[in-house]
Amino acid sequence: MNCINFVVPMNPCPCGAYPDRNLCRCTEPQIRRYQSRISRPILDRIDLFVQVSPVSYAELMQREVQESSARIRERVCRAREIQKKRYEGLGLRTNAELSARQLELFCPLGEEELAVMKEAFYRYRLSARSYHRIVRTARTIADLSGCEEIGAEQLCEALAYRRRVCE
């Protein structure tokens, strides 16, 4: 199975300024109609939804030390190595390639984590595909953090990346 990156840039509304209500001139029905133009089956196949907001001048001038690109690259390489070892001999390289059956084996959830996913499943009316994508994403988040197990924290972060679909 090949993993394909699929990036879908989209304005949040017809004028492109939402959620900044000082600049956005669209009505709520216009925004909902615009955002509903992508079908749910397509949305189900997207793992991460990230809203990028403009950077203010004050943020640009902040002198806070951020995690460097080199440090982020180290974490990603370490996570990829963890996945490579985990799936050695199975013909898999990454968490994204796991089947639903393999998820049960490699991404077991404890009682608290199952409760989080049960609530999310019913609250957001998740499909089986969305459910599995969230667990795969949580496994990757755990790998990036150096965690052996998927915790409720990683599941909640993965759910946050699905916010666009869940609303």
Side-chain angles (χ1 to χ4, degrees):
M1 179 191 303
N2 291 329
C3 289
I4 298 171
N5 290 329
F6 178 58
V7 178
V8 182
M10 179 179 164
N11 284 330
C13 68
C15 79
Y18 183 80
D20 187 341
R21 295 314 257 155
N22 293 322
L23 297 175
C24 180
R25 57 186 182 272
C26 305
T27 65
E28 289 298 323
Q30 286 175 315
I31 294 167
R32 276 194 303 278
R33 187 171 46 255
Y34 183 81
Q35 290 183 352
S36 70
R37 293 170 73 188
I38 299 179
S39 72
R40 185 130 183 135
I42 296 287
L43 293 173
D44 266 358
R45 288 165 170 83
I46 300 173
D47 291 334
L48 307 175
F49 292 82
V50 180
Q51 184 170 340
V52 181
S53 301
V55 177
S56 70
Y57 183 77
E59 291 170 323
L60 185 63
M61 293 295 109
Q62 273 185 334
R63 298 291 183 223
E64 277 185 36
V65 177
Q66 301 292 324
E67 187 175 23
S68 70
S69 294
R71 176 72 181 111
I72 293 169
R73 184 180 192 287
E74 286 175 22
R75 286 193 307 121
V76 170
C77 289
R78 192 169 39 252
R80 293 293 295 250
E81 194 58 37
I82 289 168
Q83 292 171 34
K84 182 179 172 184
K85 287 179 185 174
R86 182 184 298 133
Y87 307 127
E88 197 168 28
L90 297 174
L92 304 174
R93 294 173 301 177
T94 64
N95 298 326
E97 298 173 90
L98 291 171
S99 69
R101 280 206 174 105
Q102 290 167 325
L103 276 175
E104 293 176 21
L105 179 63
F106 293 106
C107 304
L109 301 179
E111 285 184 35
E112 181 184 359
E113 292 75 25
L114 286 170
V116 166
M117 289 306 295
K118 181 179 180 180
E119 181 179 341
F121 185 83
Y122 288 113
R123 176 183 287 176
Y124 302 123
R125 299 184 319 272
L126 298 176
S127 66
R129 178 178 283 119
S130 292
Y131 181 95
H132 294 136
R133 286 187 176 279
I134 291 164
V135 174
R136 283 186 200 97
T137 300
R139 176 69 268 166
T140 300
I141 293 167
D143 290 343
L144 287 166
S145 303
C147 298
E148 292 281 326
E149 304 293 326
I150 298 172
E153 182 179 335
Q154 287 87 14
L155 288 169
C156 289
E157 184 175 344
L159 279 160
Y161 290 126
R162 300 278 310 173
R163 189 174 60 89
R164 168 64 176 87
V165 174
C166 295
E167 291 178 338

